[in-house]
C-alpha cells in the first residue's frame, strides 16, 4: 500500500527535478528539493566519515579528524562555519578489554567490552567470584543475598530487536545497577543483548560517578557462563580493563550558519552529533544524519537561499558521553537563547522519517505540521507530543526552547546500536536522501514561517516534568542530578 504512494511520489519528484531548471518562478524550497534530488556528495561524505575516519569517540584522534573534516566540508561548500570549544568533564576511552572465566576444569576467555565510565583495573585485572544475577530484578538480588557483595554479578538480558527494546534496556540497566551498587558488588557483567559475539557500548547508568569495573560479555559466551552457574559450577571472573581516563579537556562542536534576512537575530538550530562510539564506524549513529545536514547546508549556499531567520547546522560533539556538546552550546550561547525558536535533532539512524517528538508542547504541533506540509507525500508522519531524553535536544528542552527529535523507523538501528556492526553498509542511502528532503522542508519551514513559540520559564518546564515521564527518563539516563542541583537547565 505504502509502496504505491512511494512510487508515485518518486515519479513526481523525478518529473519535478527535470522541470526544475526551467521554472524560474519556483519557490526557494522547490529549488532546494530539486537540488537535493540531484547528484550531491551525500554518499561520498558518508563513506569518508565512516570508512576513512571510522569510529570517533570524543577525545580520540579520530574524533579530532572528524571535526576538521566537517569544517572543511562546510567551507568547501561556501557555508560560514566555525569550531566552537567546550569542555568535556572527563576523558574516557578504552584501550583494550579482556576477561577470563575459571572454575574447576572450566577456563575460557570471552570477548568483552568495557562499559563507558567503567573503572579501569590494575594491569593484572580484578578477579572476583562470578554469581548468577538472573535478570537483576529485586527478587534476583534478594535470592543472592550476601553472595552479591564483592562479586561480579552476571545479568542476563533479552536480545535487542528494535528501538523500544533499546529504551527498555536503558531503563532496566539503571534499576539493575542501583540494586547492584547498593549491595556492594565488585562490578556488573552483562550478557550481551546482541547476537553471537557482537560487542557494543552501553553507558554505565551513573555516568562519570561510577567507581566499579563494568563490562558486557559477548552473548554466546555469557550464556555459557549462565548455564555453568546454574549447573552448580563455582566460577570466578577476571576482568582486565585498560582505559585512557582523565580529567576535563577541551573539544569542539562544528557550527555552520546560513544568515537570515529580516529576522537574522532569530535562530533555528538543526543538529546531529558527529561523535560516535568506537567499536563500529558510527554510520547509523550518527554519521548518516551528520552528512545529511552538511548536504542541506551545501545546497542552501549553492542556491543562495536566505530564509528570514538564521539557520545553524550544528555537528554536536560529546553526545555519547552525556550530550556534552549541546550542553556546552547552551552555556556559550546563553545570551541568545531567548532568540532560539527551534532546536531539532536527528539521531535515529537511516530509517525513514516517520514523525516527530515535540516535547509535550501542544502549540508546537501545528507549526511542525505546517513546516512539513510541502513534503506530505513522503509521509505519513506521526507527531508524538512527548519529551524524549537521549540526544542533543535535551539541554534546549531544559532551557525552555521549542525542540524536536525526528522519529525514524527502526530499520537496522536497534541491533547495530553502538555495536561493531554500525557500518556504512547498514544505511540505505535512498532512504537517507528522502529524509534529507523532509529535514530540508522542516528547517526551511521554521526559518520562514511568521510565528514561533516563546521560550518557557523554569516553572513551565517543571510542569512538563509533572505531566509526563520526563523526570523518569532523565533519571534512567543519569541526567537528573544536574537539573535538580541547578547546574543544568534554566534557572528560576
Ligand atoms: Zn546517537
Amino acid at each position: 500500500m505504502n509502496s504505491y504512494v512511494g512510487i508515485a511520489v518518486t515519479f513526481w519528484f523525478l518529473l519535478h527535478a527535470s522541470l526544475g531548471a526551467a521554472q524560474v518562478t519556483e519557490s526557494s524550497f522547490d529549488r532546494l528539493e530539486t537540488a537535493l534530488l540531484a547528484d550531491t556528495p551525500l554518499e561520498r561524505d558518508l563513506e569518508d566519515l565512516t570508512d576513512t575516519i571510522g569510529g570517533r569517540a570524543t577525545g580520540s584522534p579520530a574524533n579530532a579528524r572528524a571535526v576538521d573534516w566537517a569544517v572543511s566540508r562546510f567551507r568547501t561548500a561556501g557555508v560560514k562555519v566555525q569550531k566552537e570549544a567546550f569542555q568535556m568533564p572527563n576523558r574516557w576511552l578504552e584501550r583494550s578489554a579482556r576477561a577470563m572465566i575459571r572454575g574447576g576444569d572450566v577456563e575460557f576467555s570471552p570477548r568483552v567490552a568495557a562499559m563507558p565510565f567503567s573503572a579501569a583495573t590494575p594491569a593484572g585485572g580484578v578477579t572476583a567470584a562470578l554469581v548468577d544475577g538472573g535478570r537483576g530484578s529485586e527478587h534476583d538480588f534478594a535470592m543472592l543475598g550476601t553472595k552479591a557483595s564483592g562479586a561480579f554479578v552476571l545479568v542476563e538480558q533479552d536480545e535487542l530487536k528494535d528501538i523500544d527494546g533499546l529504551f527498555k534496556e536503558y531503563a532496566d540497566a539503571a534499576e539493575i545497577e542501583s540494586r547492584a551498587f547498593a549491595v556492594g558488588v565488585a562490578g556488573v557483567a552483562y550478557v550481551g543483548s546482541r547476537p553471537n559475539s557482537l560487542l557494543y557500548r552501553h553507558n554505565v547508568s551513573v555516568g562519570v560517578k561510577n567507581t566499579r569495573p563494568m563490562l558486557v560479555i559477548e552473548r554466546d559466551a555469557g550464556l555459557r557462563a549462565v548455564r555453568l552457574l546454574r549447573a552448580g559450577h563455582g566460577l570466578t571472573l577476571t576482568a582486565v580493563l585498560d582505559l585512557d581516563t582523565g580529567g576535563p579537556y577541551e573539544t569542539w562542536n562544528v557550527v555552520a550558519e546560513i544568515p537570515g534576512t529580516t529576522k537574522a537575530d532569530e535562530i533555528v538550530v538543526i543538529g546531529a552529533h558527529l561523535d560516535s562510539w568506537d567499536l563500529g564506524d558510527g554510520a547509523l549513529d550518527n554519521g548518516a544524519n551528520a552528512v545529511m545536514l552538511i548536504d542541506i547546508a551545501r545546497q542552501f549556499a549553492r542556491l543562495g537561499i536566505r530564509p528570514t531567520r538564521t539557520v545553524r547546522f550544528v555537528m554536536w560533539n560529546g553526545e555519547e558521553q552525556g550530550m556534552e556538546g549541546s550542553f556546552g552550546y547552551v552555556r556559550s550561547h546563553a545570551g541568545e537563547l531567548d532568540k532560539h525558536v527551534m532546536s531539532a535533532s536527528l539521531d535515529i539512524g537511516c530509517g525513514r522519517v516517520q514523525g516527530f517528538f515535540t516535547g509535550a508542547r501542544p502549540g508546537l504541533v501545528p507549526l511542525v505540521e505546517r513546516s512539513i506540509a510541502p513534503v506530505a507525500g513522503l509521509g505519513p508522519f506521526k507527531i508524538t507530543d512527548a519529551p524524549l531524553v537521549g540526544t542533543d535536544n535535551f539541554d534546549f528542552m531544559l532551557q525552555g526552547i521549542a525542540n524536536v527529535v525526528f522519529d525514524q523507523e527502526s530499520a537496522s538501528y536497534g541491533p547495530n546500536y553502538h555495536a561493531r556492526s554500525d557500518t556504512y553498509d547498514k544505511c540505505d542511502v535512498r532512504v537517507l536522501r528522502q529524509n534529507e528532503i523532509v529535514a530540508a522542508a522542516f528547517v526551511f519551514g521554521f526559518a520562514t514561517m511568521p510565528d514561533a513559540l516563546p521560550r518557557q520559564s523554569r516553572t513551565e518546564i517543571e510542569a512538563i516534568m509533572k505531566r509526563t515521564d520526563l523526570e523518569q527518563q532523565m533519571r534512567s539516563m543519569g541526567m537528573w542530578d544536574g537539573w535538580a542541583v541547578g547546574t543544568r537547565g534554566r534557572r528560576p
Side-chain angles (χ1 to χ4, degrees), residues 223-464:
L223 291 174
R224 176 180 172 189
V226 169
R227 287 191 300 272
L228 286 165
L229 289 171
R230 289 179 192 170
H233 293 262
L235 300 177
T236 62
L237 170 69
T238 301
V240 188
L241 308 179
D242 180 11
L243 310 176
D244 175 8
T245 59
Y249 65 97
E250 194 171 79
T251 186
W252 307 272
N253 294 317
V254 177
V255 180
E257 188 172 286
I258 301 291
T261 53
T262 53
K263 293 180 186 170
D265 61 332
E266 294 187 16
I267 295 155
V268 173
V269 169
I270 187 161
H273 68 85
L274 186 64
D275 66 304
S276 73
W277 272 123
D278 50 350
L279 295 168
D281 302 329
L284 298 169
D285 190 10
N286 189 33
N289 287 312
V291 300
M292 190 184 94
L293 294 188
I294 293 173
D295 205 38
I296 296 172
R298 177 185 288 127
Q299 300 310 326
F300 266 86
R302 194 175 71 82
L303 299 169
I305 293 172
R306 296 276 304 275
T308 47
R309 296 191 175 96
T310 293
V311 178
R312 289 195 186 142
F313 294 91
V314 186
M315 306 281 102
W316 304 116
N317 209 340
E319 193 274 347
E320 299 293 3
Q321 301 182 38
M323 289 106 77
E324 295 292 343
S326 38
F327 181 34
Y329 177 97
V330 301
R331 283 180 309 212
S332 54
H333 292 269
E336 30 166 49
L337 292 184
D338 285 346
K339 293 287 193 177
H340 278 63
V341 303
M342 165 53 59
S343 179
S345 292
L346 291 113
D347 190 13
I348 315 184
C350 284
R352 185 184 77 84
V353 172
Q354 60 181 354
F356 304 87
F357 295 98
T358 49
R361 294 195 66 173
L364 187 52
V365 175
L367 305 189
V368 171
E369 283 170 344
R370 202 186 314 161
S371 74
I372 54 164
V375 293
L378 295 176
F381 301 108
K382 179 183 169 212
I383 297 183
T384 309
D385 192 26
L388 191 70
V389 179
T391 189
D392 293 297
N393 66 310
F394 177 69
D395 279 278
F396 293 91
M397 177 158 46
L398 294 193
Q399 292 292 343
I401 295 161
N403 65 93
V404 158
V405 179
F406 281 56
D407 181 9
Q408 297 179 247
E409 283 176 358
S410 189
S412 56
Y413 188 79
N416 299 308
Y417 176 78
H418 292 182
R420 177 66 199 101
S421 55
D422 183 0
T423 49
Y424 177 88
D425 51 291
K426 305 304 183 303
C427 187
D428 182 339
V429 183
R430 290 166 306 173
V431 177
L432 186 61
R433 210 170 266 285
Q434 186 171 304
N435 289 349
E436 188 174 22
I437 293 162
V438 177
F442 180 95
V443 73
F444 186 79
F446 273 89
T448 52
M449 69 175 67
D451 28 357
L453 290 196
R455 191 175 171 197
Q456 291 179 313
S457 66
R458 185 172 176 107
T459 310
E460 288 170 304
I461 303 161
E462 280 167 346
I464 293 180

Side-chain angles (χ1 to χ4, degrees), residues 34-44 295 299 302 433:
T34 302
L36 292 171
L37 283 161
D39 182 25
T40 75
L42 181 70
E43 296 177 58
R44 271 161 282 155
D295 205 38
Q299 300 310 326
R302 194 175 71 82
R433 210 170 266 285

Side-chain angles (χ1 to χ4, degrees), residues 36-57:
L36 292 171
L37 283 161
D39 182 25
T40 75
L42 181 70
E43 296 177 58
R44 271 161 282 155
D45 279 359
L46 185 56
E47 276 187 37
D48 265 2
L49 186 58
T50 58
D51 285 343
T52 309
I53 296 174
R56 43 198 181 279

